[in-house]
């Protein structure tokens, strides 16, 4: 990570804590690694993101309904889904530092270093040749660059084969051949590579034997698959239709770092869309487009999103891509869109012995539907919004301000109501306004401190509007409304505030733009 971005990320993390968005879990005991709690402002932002997603999926698509399945599921679920056998990361330890790493991540980091080396060669040559420099020609002919390129493509090919074949020995050999050293100890004293299952398990009931072992779900999707027929029959939906769900998932991530980007307990917003076999690619494209539009409507900058096709397809997919976002540590996965074929339903049929088929009255036949999934991490959505909206500004008068330019409909608090002074009947008037607005909008009332200080505090938590009640209010029933982003103030009649604020802050209006 470049230094500037590194600092930005650190500032975002400390800002999130200082202003009640995110706290380390059980902090008084020094925290729990990769587990976080959402504070008073964090929970509001999180709820607003959920509402934005839930309404988009279930209100705007009349063939999608929601469910809320339990976190615990019958253990056979995870046999059928492939998670018991295949949901694992290849890990190895450095014997000197005692640190554990994901083998594929170490290799990908080494590839990134080779790419950096190419860039350095290009920069050097560009300086040497000046205006006559031809990048394409240089990278196509320079022997050093060609050597690096060859190494990158060889390594990518070996990595793909090793991961595809779950070949731990081959992975270790790549690490040896690339001369990868531990960033902590600086040595190459590695253990063998082993598969490490990411599911958390616990015991159900009072007897702690293996038969009672159950898992905390590592994804919410399986709760949808096992309820597929329950929902289809009781809702009488016809294919194509979808089932949406928001809920917690748990993964014992080994390389758990980067704040709420990779957590051990996190939340997913998933939708499984059931389609006729053979039509999955059409729906895969449909959902790629829809989901990208949903992200971009937030206004954080279209250039911050891109598609990234999966080269190594998961065991259940016949097509898959990510929507990546430009996080402070670079472009990384925000959402996954997967064409899961009939893998899950077919296996649940096999393991449960129950038919999970759909009767298509148009075709007059039974079949197991194919599935297109959209799966976005709620916490990663939160991080994308928080990190892009965090802005440090130098104002004209030379002072600094930190403002969270959170998309207005998602802001934790929509309106701050601030009597200019704590006397002359201003607080009473302010409370009258608050009592009118509080049914529709989350408001915050404050009468302490100078008004400038109060504005800054609201900027720091992303409150889009500050309503100030002053002496003129008592004379002509108008207030000033200050805009967070422009800092401009306009005088508005008290009678007009409610509609104006609802209009500006409505999630529904945001949805209309998609
Ligand atoms: P990664 O490659 O980053 O580990 P993944 O491909 O395993 O992610 P999926 O299984 O596709 O992720 O999960 C769908 C979504 O759930 C991801 O796009 C991400 O937003 C979110 N997610 C997955 N793992 C985590 C985690 N440990 N912490 C927070 N969010 C997560």
């Amino acid at each position: 990570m470049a230094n500037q971005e590194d600092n930005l990320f650190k500032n975002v993390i400390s800002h999130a804590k200082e202003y009640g968005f995110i706290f380390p879990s059980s902090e008084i005991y020094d925290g729990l690694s990769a587990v976080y709690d959402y504070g008073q402002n964090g929970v509001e932002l999180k709820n607003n993101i959920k509402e934005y997603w839930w309404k988009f999926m279930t209100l705007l698509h009349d063939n999608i309904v929601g469910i809320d399945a339990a976190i615990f599921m019958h253990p056979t679920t995870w046999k059928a889904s492939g998670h018991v056998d295949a949901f694992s990361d290849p890990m190895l330890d450095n014997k000197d530092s005692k640190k554990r790493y994901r083998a594929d991540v170490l290799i990908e980091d080494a590839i990134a270093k080779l790419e950096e080396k190419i860039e350095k060669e290009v920069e050097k040559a560009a300086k040497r040749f000046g205006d006559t420099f031809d990048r394409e020609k240089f990278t196509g002919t320079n022997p050093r660059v060609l050597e690096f390129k060859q190494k990158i493509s060889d390594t990518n090919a070996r990595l793909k084969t090793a991961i595809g074949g779950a070949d731990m020995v081959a992975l270790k050999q790549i690490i040896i051949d690339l001369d990868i050293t531990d960033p902590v100890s600086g040595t190459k004293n590695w253990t063998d590579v082993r598969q490490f299952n990411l599911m958390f398990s616990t015991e159900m009931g009072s007897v702690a034997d293996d038969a009672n072992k159950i898992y905390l779900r590592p994804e919410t999707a399986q709760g949808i698959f096992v309820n597929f027929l329950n929902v289809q029959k009781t809702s009488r939906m016809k294919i194509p239709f979808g089932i949406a769900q928001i809920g917690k998932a748990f993964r014992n991530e080994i390389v758990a770092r980067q704040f709420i980007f990779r957590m051990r307990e996190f939340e997913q917003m998933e939708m499984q869309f059931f389609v006729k076999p053979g039509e999955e690619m059409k729906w895969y494209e449909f959902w790629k487009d829809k989901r990208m539009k949903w992200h971009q409507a937030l206004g954080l900058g279209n250039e911050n999103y891109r598609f990234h096709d999966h080269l190594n397809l998961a065991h259940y997919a016949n097509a898959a891509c990510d929507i990546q976002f430009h996080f402070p540590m670079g472009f990384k996965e925000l959402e996954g869109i997967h064409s899961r074929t009939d893998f899950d339903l077919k296996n649940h049929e096999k393991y449960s012995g129950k038919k999970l088929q759909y009767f298509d009255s148009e075709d007059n036949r039974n079949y197991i539907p194919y599935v297109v999934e959209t799966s976005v991490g709620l916490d990663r959505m939160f991080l994308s919004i928080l990190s892009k909206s965090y802005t440090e500004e130098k104002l004209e008068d030379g002072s600094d301000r930190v403002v969270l330019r959170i998309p207005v409909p998602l802001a934790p608090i929509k309106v701050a109501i601030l009597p200019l002074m704590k006397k002359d009947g201003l607080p009473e008037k302010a409370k009258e306004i608050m009592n009118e607005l509080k049914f529709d909008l989350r408001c915050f009332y404050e009468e302490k401190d100078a008004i400038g200080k109060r504005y800054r505090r609201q900027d720091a938590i992303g409150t889009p509007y500050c309503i100030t009640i002053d002496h003129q209010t008592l004379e002509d029933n108008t207030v000033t409304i200050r805009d967070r982003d422009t800092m401009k103030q306009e005088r508005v009649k008290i009678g007009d505030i409610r509609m104006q604020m609802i209009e500006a802050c409505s999630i529904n209006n945001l949805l209309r733009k998609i």
Side-chain angles (χ1 to χ4, degrees), residues 251 253 261-263 266 268 333-334 338 375 377 380:
R251 294 181 188 178
E253 301 276 7
F261 181 81
R262 192 173 297 288
M263 299 156 93
F266 59 100
Q268 292 184 312
E333 173 175 348
L334 173 62
H338 312 126
S375 172
R380 285 193 193 174

Side-chain angles (χ1 to χ4, degrees), residues 115-164:
E115 279 161 355
E116 275 169 28
K117 280 186 182 164
I118 294 180
E119 268 321 297
K120 285 220 175 89
E121 292 293 331
V122 169
E123 275 168 29
K124 266 199 296 188
K127 261 194 203 140
R128 213 168 46 231
F129 292 111
D131 288 345
T132 59
F133 182 63
D134 178 344
R135 185 190 166 103
E136 212 166 302
K137 191 166 163 211
F138 177 76
T139 54
T141 53
N142 179 277
R144 277 179 72 79
V145 171
L146 289 179
E147 194 188 316
F148 290 140
K149 275 189 175 173
Q150 187 61 42
K151 204 164 175 185
I152 291 173
S153 80
D154 288 350
T155 309
N156 269 325
R158 287 176 68 190
L159 178 62
K160 193 173 168 192
T161 320
I163 293 279

